[in-house]
Structures are given as C-alpha cells and as structure tokens.
Amino acid sequence: MQITYNTTLLELEDMPLDIGYSSERVDLKNSVGESIRIGGQNGATQLIITVPFIDESCITQLKEMDSLLYINALGGITKTLIVATDKHTMPPLEEWLVGFDYDEAFGDYYGVRLSGGELNGEFTKALFIISKDGAIFHHEILNDLNDPFSLDKALLKIAAAQSCYTGKGCHG
C-alpha cells in the first residue's frame, strides 16, 4: 500500500491487519518505561491510533475524539496512541495510553510500519477499533499522512462495536 507524505511516496512494509481478524495482545512502553498491554480480547472496546509524528494537528484530533465520545456517551473505551520509537515526545493526554513499540511487535503484527523516505521505520497514520471480543471491527489507514481521520465514521463504528457484542457468543 502506498502512502503519501508531502511529495514523498512511502510503502507499508506489510499488509495491515484486516477487519474481522483477531487482534494480537502486544506490550508497549510509556514515556517512563512502564509496560502497557493492548489488543486482544479484554472485555472493552479499544481505539488504537498510530502516527508517524505527534504534532498539534494530531493532538487536536485526539481531543476532538474525546469530545465526541463524551457528547455521545460512549464510555468504557480503552484509547491508545502509539508511535514506533521513544524518540517522540509523548503528549500528556488525559484518559489515553501513550506508548511506543519498543520491541517492534505492534508494527509487525498490525502492519503499520512505513518504509522509504524520511519516515522509514515510523508508523503510518492509522486508526483501529477492536471489539470487546478482540476482533478488528474497523480500521482507517490514511493514504496521505497530512489528512485527518474521519472521526464521525470512527464514532459510528465505536458505537456499533459496543452494541453488537453481547458477551453471549454467536448463538446467544
């Protein structure tokens, strides 16, 4: 998959994990070196956002997502912002887990690592929604790193992910 950043064409190293597939539990590290475990089935809807860089536009979108979740009374969601390495300055975001992929497991499993250009080895701009049963319910992988996420669509998918899982299995 080709990704554009300004005038540079980048590639994803692997195919992104697709909708319906089981998510993998992976460990990240936060800015003080503590372990953060995300993915897999944990009984909560998970919103995972990866970015190649953290800028004001990124932080604004994350805060906008928080507002939309609050206004629409969509609580009980684990929200995580992930970057590839610890060279990034981690923003202080309330109610968000912020971590880096210290052992490269997340980037490899979820297929979000970029190759080529100045962003080689960084993560592409991607949004994953994992349902309570641990499956990839929705993802948005932007073709242009300067584009914003479609927060309205993500909000609808989060609401759908929360309402479709009953905890009783497919025959309940």
Side-chain angles (χ1 to χ4, degrees), residues 78-166:
T78 303
K79 302 175 287 188
T80 309
L81 174 66
I82 306 172
V83 291
T85 67
D86 65 350
K87 73 177 186 179
H88 299 274
T89 302
M90 304 299 206
L93 294 167
E94 288 185 36
E95 299 179 11
W96 282 81
L97 301 172
V98 181
F100 69 95
D101 191 22
Y102 71 96
D103 64 358
E104 300 184 357
F106 183 87
D108 290 344
Y109 190 81
Y110 286 79
V112 294
R113 191 178 325 283
L114 293 167
S115 65
E118 66 186 273
L119 296 176
N120 189 56
E122 296 292 344
F123 290 163
T124 194
K125 204 168 177 184
L127 180 150
F128 292 91
I129 298 170
I130 300 174
S131 62
K132 293 176 185 179
D133 65 357
I136 303 294
F137 191 84
H138 171 75
H139 66 63
E140 180 180 15
I141 298 164
L142 297 175
N143 292 324
D144 188 329
L145 297 180
N146 293 312
D147 287 347
F149 290 112
S150 176
L151 296 184
D152 289 338
K153 185 172 187 175
L155 191 68
L156 291 172
K157 294 295 184 175
I158 289 168
Q162 287 189 310
S163 65
C164 79
Y165 181 75
T166 65

XYZ file of all heavy atoms in Angstrom, residues 78-166:
700
model
N -10.967 1.818 25.833
C -9.534 1.984 26.046
C -8.986 2.723 24.826
O -9.145 2.257 23.706
C -8.840 0.610 26.182
O -9.449 -0.105 27.239
C -7.362 0.779 26.450
N -8.361 3.877 25.063
C -7.827 4.701 23.968
C -6.310 4.716 24.058
O -5.756 5.003 25.118
C -8.370 6.128 24.061
C -9.895 6.204 24.023
C -10.384 7.610 24.237
C -10.198 8.013 25.685
N -10.804 9.293 26.031
N -5.651 4.394 22.937
C -4.199 4.321 22.923
C -3.636 5.037 21.704
O -4.111 4.847 20.589
C -3.723 2.849 22.895
O -4.361 2.123 23.930
C -2.219 2.761 23.050
N -2.614 5.843 21.929
C -1.835 6.486 20.869
C -0.480 5.794 20.847
O 0.176 5.687 21.888
C -1.663 7.983 21.138
C -0.754 8.735 20.164
C -1.368 8.772 18.768
C -0.487 10.149 20.675
N -0.063 5.335 19.647
C 1.183 4.580 19.536
C 2.085 5.208 18.470
O 1.631 5.546 17.380
C 0.921 3.118 19.148
C -0.065 2.473 20.108
C 2.230 2.324 19.109
C -0.518 1.096 19.680
N 3.366 5.312 18.818
C 4.409 5.696 17.864
C 5.433 4.562 17.825
O 5.450 3.689 18.693
C 5.077 7.035 18.243
C 4.099 8.192 18.067
C 5.622 7.003 19.659
N 6.303 4.593 16.814
C 7.237 3.487 16.608
C 8.373 3.446 17.625
O 8.770 2.370 18.063
C 7.804 3.550 15.185
N 8.895 4.614 18.005
C 10.096 4.625 18.858
C 9.957 5.639 19.986
O 9.067 6.487 19.980
C 11.348 4.999 18.037
O 11.224 6.362 17.614
C 11.513 4.093 16.824
N 10.896 5.583 20.912
C 10.880 6.503 22.047
C 11.511 7.851 21.739
O 11.656 8.677 22.626
C 11.551 5.871 23.268
C 13.030 5.599 23.061
O 13.530 5.718 21.926
O 13.694 5.250 24.055
N 11.847 8.103 20.492
C 12.426 9.407 20.142
C 11.363 10.509 20.064
O 11.685 11.676 19.995
C 13.206 9.332 18.827
C 12.344 9.225 17.591
C 13.187 9.231 16.334
C 12.299 9.282 15.107
N 13.045 9.318 13.883
N 10.097 10.109 20.111
C 8.991 11.067 20.056
C 8.726 11.639 21.449
O 8.856 10.940 22.446
C 7.718 10.406 19.539
C 7.858 9.854 18.160
N 7.655 10.606 17.039
C 8.210 8.618 17.722
C 7.860 9.866 15.964
N 8.199 8.658 16.353
N 8.302 12.890 21.495
C 7.869 13.491 22.749
C 6.412 13.109 22.958
O 5.549 13.444 22.152
C 8.015 15.026 22.702
O 9.376 15.340 22.439
C 7.582 15.650 24.003
N 6.163 12.383 24.031
C 4.814 11.893 24.303
C 3.973 13.000 24.930
O 4.375 13.579 25.932
C 4.862 10.695 25.233
C 5.728 9.560 24.731
S 5.153 8.917 23.165
C 5.783 7.274 23.250
N 2.824 13.278 24.338
C 1.971 14.337 24.887
C 1.213 13.871 26.123
O 0.860 12.694 26.224
C 0.992 14.609 23.738
C 0.866 13.291 23.052
C 2.238 12.655 23.160
N 0.968 14.776 27.048
C 0.135 14.402 28.197
C -1.332 14.459 27.784
O -1.879 15.523 27.553
C 0.468 15.488 29.228
C 0.894 16.670 28.411
C 1.496 16.130 27.153
N -1.938 13.297 27.626
C -3.338 13.219 27.219
C -4.112 12.476 28.305
O -3.791 11.332 28.626
C -3.469 12.459 25.896
C -2.849 13.119 24.675
C -2.768 12.120 23.526
C -3.674 14.329 24.267
N -5.122 13.146 28.846
C -5.948 12.508 29.861
C -6.715 11.351 29.237
O -7.198 11.453 28.117
C -6.931 13.519 30.459
C -6.268 14.543 31.362
C -7.279 15.441 32.024
O -8.372 14.968 32.368
O -6.958 16.631 32.189
N -6.786 10.258 29.965
C -7.553 9.076 29.580
C -7.013 8.356 28.347
O -7.686 7.516 27.778
C -9.030 9.424 29.383
C -9.684 9.969 30.642
C -11.137 10.341 30.429
O -11.717 9.995 29.390
O -11.691 10.996 31.326
N -5.813 8.690 27.907
C -5.182 7.993 26.787
C -3.937 7.283 27.284
O -3.155 7.842 28.059
C -4.759 8.981 25.696
C -5.879 9.455 24.821
C -6.769 10.449 25.123
C -6.236 8.991 23.521
N -7.655 10.622 24.089
C -7.346 9.729 23.091
C -5.714 8.004 22.688
C -7.948 9.540 21.859
C -6.315 7.805 21.455
C -7.426 8.562 21.044
N -3.753 6.064 26.826
C -2.478 5.392 26.988
C -1.609 5.875 25.835
O -2.068 5.922 24.693
C -2.645 3.879 26.916
C -3.570 3.239 27.946
C -3.784 1.763 27.627
C -3.013 3.418 29.338
N -0.392 6.263 26.111
C 0.509 6.741 25.068
C 1.785 5.918 25.177
O 2.422 5.897 26.239
C 0.818 8.250 25.227
C 1.742 8.729 24.125
C -0.480 9.066 25.221
N 2.135 5.215 24.102
C 3.288 4.347 24.180
C 4.031 4.192 22.876
O 3.571 4.632 21.829
N 5.192 3.538 22.977
C 5.970 3.257 21.782
C 6.230 1.754 21.692
O 6.210 1.023 22.691
C 7.268 4.076 21.748
C 8.295 3.686 22.771
C 9.312 2.794 22.453
C 8.258 4.216 24.053
C 10.251 2.431 23.391
C 9.200 3.863 24.993
C 10.197 2.961 24.668
N 6.467 1.305 20.492
C 6.615 -0.098 20.155
C 8.061 -0.531 20.356
O 8.803 -0.726 19.406
C 6.172 -0.292 18.701
C 6.034 -1.732 18.288
O 5.872 -2.597 19.160
O 6.091 -1.985 17.068
N 8.466 -0.710 21.614
C 9.867 -0.938 21.953
C 10.448 -2.212 21.337
O 11.632 -2.281 21.057
C 10.068 -0.941 23.472
C 9.500 -2.157 24.164
C 10.305 -3.257 24.458
C 8.164 -2.212 24.521
C 9.789 -4.373 25.080
C 7.645 -3.315 25.143
C 8.454 -4.392 25.419
O 7.930 -5.493 26.031
N 9.634 -3.249 21.126
C 10.162 -4.491 20.556
C 9.667 -4.757 19.136
O 9.863 -5.839 18.591
C 9.851 -5.684 21.463
C 8.356 -5.958 21.596
O 7.539 -5.212 21.013
O 7.994 -6.917 22.294
N 9.012 -3.780 18.536
C 8.517 -3.809 17.150
C 7.401 -4.819 16.911
O 7.024 -5.074 15.781
C 9.663 -4.028 16.170
C 10.709 -2.921 16.251
C 11.811 -3.067 15.209
O 11.822 -4.060 14.441
O 12.665 -2.167 15.159
N 6.833 -5.399 17.977
C 5.773 -6.395 17.818
C 4.497 -5.774 17.242
O 3.855 -6.367 16.377
C 5.474 -7.069 19.158
N 4.126 -4.582 17.738
C 2.894 -3.963 17.245
C 3.007 -3.658 15.756
O 2.126 -4.001 14.966
C 2.565 -2.678 18.018
C 1.263 -2.072 17.566
C 0.066 -2.478 18.123
C 1.224 -1.128 16.554
C -1.140 -1.945 17.692
C 0.027 -0.588 16.109
C -1.157 -1.015 16.680
N 4.073 -2.982 15.361
C 4.251 -2.611 13.953
C 4.245 -3.806 13.030
O 3.657 -3.773 11.954
N 4.881 -4.900 13.468
C 4.935 -6.102 12.648
C 3.569 -6.774 12.559
O 3.108 -7.128 11.475
C 5.957 -7.099 13.216
C 7.386 -6.611 13.054
O 7.624 -5.684 12.254
O 8.270 -7.161 13.741
N 2.903 -6.942 13.683
C 1.634 -7.657 13.680
C 0.518 -6.868 12.996
O -0.249 -7.411 12.219
C 1.207 -8.028 15.104
C 0.025 -8.962 15.088
C 0.202 -10.321 14.865
C -1.269 -8.478 15.246
C -0.883 -11.176 14.806
C -2.356 -9.333 15.187
C -2.153 -10.686 14.967
O -3.234 -11.518 14.899
N 0.427 -5.591 13.277
C -0.666 -4.779 12.732
C -0.360 -4.222 11.344
O -1.236 -3.669 10.694
C -1.025 -3.658 13.712
C -1.782 -4.172 14.923
C -1.115 -4.794 15.970
C -3.159 -4.045 15.015
C -1.797 -5.285 17.073
C -3.855 -4.535 16.111
C -3.167 -5.159 17.132
O -3.857 -5.645 18.218
N 0.879 -4.346 10.874
C 1.233 -3.962 9.506
C 1.201 -2.472 9.244
O 0.753 -2.042 8.186
N 1.690 -1.660 10.174
C 1.602 -0.204 10.026
C 2.964 0.483 9.855
O 3.036 1.697 9.802
C 0.850 0.435 11.218
C -0.612 -0.002 11.228
C 1.521 0.103 12.551
N 4.050 -0.296 9.748
C 5.381 0.302 9.641
C 5.649 0.778 8.212
O 5.404 0.071 7.245
C 6.453 -0.696 10.067
C 7.816 -0.071 10.238
C 8.880 -1.048 10.719
N 8.417 -2.074 11.640
C 8.165 -1.891 12.934
N 8.320 -0.701 13.480
N 7.759 -2.888 13.697
N 6.171 2.012 8.120
C 6.491 2.624 6.829
C 7.913 2.271 6.401
O 8.799 2.111 7.240
C 6.381 4.148 6.924
C 4.984 4.718 7.140
C 5.062 6.192 7.532
C 4.134 4.539 5.887
N 8.116 2.201 5.094
C 9.473 2.045 4.575
C 9.698 3.102 3.499
O 8.789 3.458 2.752
C 9.702 0.639 4.007
O 8.886 0.407 2.891
N 10.911 3.628 3.484
C 11.282 4.638 2.495
C 11.183 6.051 3.043
O 10.443 6.330 3.986
N 11.980 6.929 2.458
C 11.920 8.348 2.789
C 12.344 8.659 4.205
O 12.876 7.823 4.933
N 12.080 9.895 4.601
C 12.482 10.369 5.929
C 11.717 9.704 7.070
O 12.150 9.768 8.220
C 12.327 11.885 6.012
C 10.871 12.349 5.924
C 10.715 13.850 5.859
O 10.664 14.467 6.944
O 10.657 14.377 4.747
N 10.603 9.061 6.777
C 9.794 8.409 7.813
C 10.001 6.897 7.854
O 9.199 6.167 8.435
C 8.313 8.737 7.606
C 7.949 10.219 7.755
C 6.481 10.455 7.431
C 8.289 10.713 9.151
N 11.078 6.420 7.267
C 11.394 4.999 7.265
C 11.416 4.457 8.703
O 12.071 5.014 9.582
C 12.756 4.756 6.610
C 13.028 3.290 6.400
O 12.239 2.601 5.769
N 14.132 2.807 6.940
N 10.654 3.381 8.931
C 10.595 2.759 10.252
C 9.519 3.315 11.164
O 9.199 2.716 12.192
N 8.954 4.465 10.813
C 7.864 5.046 11.615
C 6.554 4.345 11.258
O 6.481 3.578 10.307
C 7.735 6.549 11.347
C 8.937 7.362 11.772
C 9.141 7.410 13.283
O 8.207 7.067 14.036
O 10.240 7.789 13.702
N 5.488 4.624 12.015
C 4.176 4.064 11.731
C 3.390 4.996 10.834
O 3.523 6.216 10.915
C 3.385 3.839 13.021
C 3.917 2.723 13.873
C 3.555 2.635 15.191
C 4.766 1.756 13.367
C 4.018 1.619 16.000
C 5.246 0.734 14.157
C 4.859 0.660 15.485
N 2.543 4.411 10.014
C 1.638 5.214 9.219
C 0.530 5.752 10.122
O 0.409 5.375 11.283
C 1.045 4.397 8.058
O 0.424 5.300 7.134
C 0.034 3.363 8.535
N -0.262 6.631 9.578
C -1.396 7.196 10.304
C -2.564 6.226 10.145
O -3.108 6.072 9.051
C -1.722 8.566 9.716
C -2.439 9.501 10.631
C -2.447 10.900 10.038
C -3.229 11.851 10.887
N -3.299 13.177 10.256
N -2.887 5.531 11.241
C -3.926 4.504 11.194
C -4.768 4.548 12.459
O -4.295 4.940 13.526
C -3.301 3.120 11.028
N -6.004 4.123 12.319
C -6.957 4.060 13.422
C -7.574 2.664 13.399
O -8.064 2.225 12.362
C -8.023 5.136 13.218
C -9.140 5.267 14.242
C -9.597 6.717 14.317
C -10.313 4.376 13.931
N -7.498 1.969 14.511
C -8.091 0.642 14.649
C -9.127 0.677 15.762
O -8.896 1.265 16.815
C -7.041 -0.405 15.037
C -6.034 -0.705 13.977
C -4.846 -0.001 13.919
C -6.268 -1.705 13.037
C -3.898 -0.279 12.943
C -5.329 -1.986 12.061
C -4.135 -1.275 12.008
N -10.258 0.017 15.515
C -11.259 -0.203 16.558
C -11.332 -1.711 16.762
O -11.581 -2.462 15.812
C -12.633 0.376 16.177
C -12.521 1.892 16.011
C -13.681 0.005 17.228
C -13.741 2.549 15.395
N -11.071 -2.125 17.985
C -11.104 -3.539 18.340
C -12.327 -3.756 19.222
O -12.519 -3.051 20.216
C -9.807 -3.946 19.070
C -8.605 -3.691 18.159
C -9.873 -5.400 19.507
C -7.269 -3.922 18.819
N -13.147 -4.724 18.838
C -14.358 -5.004 19.604
C -14.009 -5.728 20.902
O -12.883 -6.174 21.108
C -15.332 -5.837 18.766
O -14.743 -7.079 18.436
N -14.995 -5.841 21.763
C -14.797 -6.450 23.079
C -14.311 -7.893 22.980
O -13.671 -8.404 23.896
C -16.089 -6.397 23.885
C -16.501 -4.986 24.258
C -17.830 -4.981 24.969
C -18.285 -3.565 25.234
N -19.584 -3.521 25.899
N -14.608 -8.559 21.860
C -14.158 -9.943 21.687
C -12.762 -10.035 21.075
O -12.266 -11.127 20.808
C -15.162 -10.748 20.867
C -15.308 -10.256 19.441
O -14.677 -9.252 19.053
O -16.077 -10.895 18.686
N -12.114 -8.881 20.860
C -10.735 -8.873 20.381
C -10.560 -8.855 18.880
O -9.436 -8.926 18.383
N -11.644 -8.746 18.124
C -11.546 -8.719 16.663
C -11.393 -7.281 16.154
O -11.901 -6.345 16.769
C -12.791 -9.343 16.046
N -10.700 -7.155 15.036
C -10.616 -5.845 14.380
C -12.000 -5.550 13.818
O -12.485 -6.259 12.932
C -9.561 -5.836 13.245
C -8.184 -6.232 13.753
C -9.534 -4.474 12.559
C -7.554 -5.258 14.718
N -12.650 -4.543 14.340
C -14.009 -4.190 13.928
C -13.982 -3.164 12.806
O -14.838 -3.176 11.922
C -14.775 -3.636 15.141
C -16.241 -3.488 14.900
C -17.088 -4.571 15.062
C -16.787 -2.276 14.512
C -18.458 -4.443 14.837
C -18.147 -2.137 14.285
C -18.978 -3.227 14.444
N -12.997 -2.274 12.821
C -12.888 -1.195 11.822
C -11.449 -0.713 11.807
O -10.765 -0.759 12.825
C -13.824 -0.037 12.203
C -13.637 1.200 11.388
N -14.082 1.315 10.096
C -13.043 2.385 11.680
C -13.780 2.526 9.625
N -13.144 3.182 10.577
N -11.010 -0.280 10.638
C -9.726 0.414 10.580
C -9.770 1.475 9.496
O -10.546 1.387 8.544
C -8.530 -0.532 10.384
C -8.484 -1.249 9.067
N -8.368 -0.628 7.849
C -8.515 -2.565 8.800
C -8.331 -1.503 6.889
N -8.430 -2.698 7.440
N -8.978 2.488 9.703
C -8.807 3.552 8.714
C -7.310 3.780 8.590
O -6.642 4.156 9.553
C -9.503 4.844 9.158
C -9.342 5.973 8.170
C -10.023 7.264 8.605
O -10.389 7.399 9.790
O -10.173 8.144 7.747
N -6.789 3.507 7.405
C -5.374 3.718 7.130
C -5.311 4.791 6.058
O -5.754 4.578 4.926
C -4.697 2.415 6.686
C -4.814 1.405 7.833
C -3.235 2.667 6.305
C -4.557 0.001 7.462
N -4.825 5.955 6.452
C -4.873 7.112 5.551
C -3.829 6.997 4.445
O -2.677 6.635 4.693
C -4.656 8.396 6.354
C -5.734 8.674 7.406
C -5.381 9.896 8.222
C -7.091 8.833 6.759
N -4.249 7.310 3.239
C -3.338 7.289 2.092
C -2.405 8.493 2.089
O -1.363 8.461 1.455
C -4.120 7.254 0.776
C -4.851 5.943 0.591
O -4.345 4.893 0.968
N -6.037 6.010 0.030
N -2.812 9.563 2.758
C -2.000 10.783 2.834
C -1.827 11.139 4.313
O -2.810 11.342 5.019
C -2.688 11.924 2.087
C -1.841 13.163 1.942
O -1.008 13.445 2.838
O -2.001 13.880 0.938
N -0.576 11.222 4.750
C -0.307 11.479 6.168
C -0.713 12.874 6.624
O -0.766 13.136 7.821
C 1.178 11.252 6.470
C 1.681 9.832 6.253
C 3.172 9.735 6.577
C 0.890 8.820 7.052
N -1.018 13.753 5.688
C -1.474 15.095 6.042
C -2.988 15.164 6.227
O -3.505 16.177 6.692
C -1.024 16.112 4.992
C 0.477 16.277 4.981
O 1.088 16.451 6.022
N 1.081 16.209 3.807
N -3.702 14.091 5.887
C -5.160 14.068 6.019
C -5.561 13.778 7.459
O -4.863 13.045 8.167
C -5.769 12.994 5.115
C -5.722 13.373 3.647
O -5.456 14.552 3.328
O -5.944 12.469 2.809
N -6.713 14.299 7.885
C -7.225 13.968 9.219
C -8.001 12.646 9.180
O -8.448 12.198 8.116
C -8.171 15.132 9.527
C -8.669 15.549 8.181
C -7.518 15.323 7.225
N -8.158 12.024 10.338
C -9.008 10.841 10.441
C -10.465 11.252 10.259
O -10.852 12.379 10.556
C -8.859 10.175 11.811
C -7.533 9.505 12.020
C -6.637 10.009 12.948
C -7.181 8.375 11.306
C -5.416 9.398 13.160
C -5.956 7.758 11.500
C -5.076 8.268 12.430
N -11.287 10.324 9.830
C -12.722 10.533 9.723
C -13.337 10.199 11.088
O -13.771 9.074 11.327
C -13.298 9.645 8.625
O -14.692 9.773 8.587
N -13.353 11.190 11.984
C -13.799 10.954 13.354
C -15.276 10.608 13.440
O -15.680 9.794 14.279
C -13.481 12.162 14.230
C -11.993 12.477 14.403
C -11.812 13.634 15.374
C -11.210 11.261 14.861
N -16.111 11.208 12.580
C -17.543 10.888 12.609
C -17.774 9.416 12.278
O -18.583 8.747 12.913
C -18.318 11.778 11.637
C -18.396 13.221 12.110
O -18.235 13.464 13.325
O -18.607 14.111 11.262
N -17.052 8.913 11.271
C -17.189 7.499 10.915
C -16.664 6.616 12.035
O -17.278 5.604 12.369
C -16.441 7.213 9.611
C -16.638 5.809 9.118
C -16.046 5.613 7.745
C -16.411 4.239 7.218
N -15.959 4.039 5.860
N -15.524 6.985 12.631
C -14.971 6.207 13.745
C -15.959 6.159 14.898
O -16.138 5.112 15.530
C -13.638 6.793 14.190
N -16.607 7.271 15.172
C -17.589 7.335 16.258
C -18.740 6.361 16.015
O -19.159 5.638 16.920
C -18.108 8.766 16.387
C -18.929 9.089 17.610
C -18.057 9.046 18.853
C -19.560 10.451 17.461
N -19.244 6.329 14.778
C -20.313 5.389 14.429
C -19.854 3.942 14.592
O -20.598 3.096 15.094
C -20.779 5.621 12.993
C -21.530 6.922 12.727
C -21.757 7.115 11.231
C -22.850 6.931 13.476
N -18.625 3.663 14.198
C -18.088 2.300 14.299
C -17.857 1.899 15.758
O -18.063 0.742 16.130
C -16.798 2.169 13.492
C -16.989 2.324 12.001
C -17.834 1.224 11.432
C -17.943 1.317 9.922
N -18.681 0.182 9.340
N -17.443 2.844 16.589
C -17.271 2.555 18.017
C -18.624 2.207 18.637
O -18.754 1.230 19.375
C -16.614 3.741 18.752
C -15.139 3.860 18.345
C -16.744 3.594 20.269
C -14.472 5.145 18.790
N -19.640 3.001 18.315
C -20.994 2.732 18.837
C -21.481 1.364 18.365
O -22.057 0.596 19.152
C -21.952 3.834 18.405
N -21.248 1.036 17.114
C -21.663 -0.264 16.575
C -20.898 -1.403 17.249
O -21.480 -2.439 17.582
C -21.458 -0.300 15.063
N -19.601 -1.214 17.458
C -18.785 -2.253 18.102
C -19.267 -2.515 19.521
O -19.299 -3.661 19.977
C -17.314 -1.845 18.114
N -19.659 -1.458 20.209
C -20.127 -1.633 21.588
C -21.504 -2.297 21.648
O -21.770 -3.069 22.551
C -20.160 -0.300 22.304
C -18.759 0.198 22.633
C -18.794 1.405 23.542
O -19.497 2.364 23.280
N -18.000 1.334 24.590
N -22.363 -1.990 20.690
C -23.718 -2.531 20.756
C -23.831 -3.926 20.184
O -24.756 -4.667 20.528
C -24.709 -1.594 20.048
O -24.427 -1.537 18.672
N -22.916 -4.343 19.316
C -23.057 -5.654 18.677
C -22.548 -6.781 19.543
O -22.915 -7.929 19.341
C -22.368 -5.688 17.319
S -20.593 -5.887 17.407
N -21.733 -6.500 20.512
C -21.166 -7.566 21.338
C -21.999 -7.729 22.591
O -22.134 -6.830 23.392
C -19.709 -7.216 21.725
C -19.058 -8.295 22.549
C -18.642 -9.473 21.949
C -18.886 -8.144 23.914
C -18.040 -10.476 22.696
C -18.292 -9.140 24.666
C -17.872 -10.305 24.054
O -17.289 -11.293 24.796
N -22.553 -8.910 22.748
C -23.408 -9.198 23.903
C -22.701 -10.012 24.972
O -23.201 -10.139 26.069
C -24.670 -9.966 23.472
O -24.244 -11.254 22.961
C -25.460 -9.215 22.424
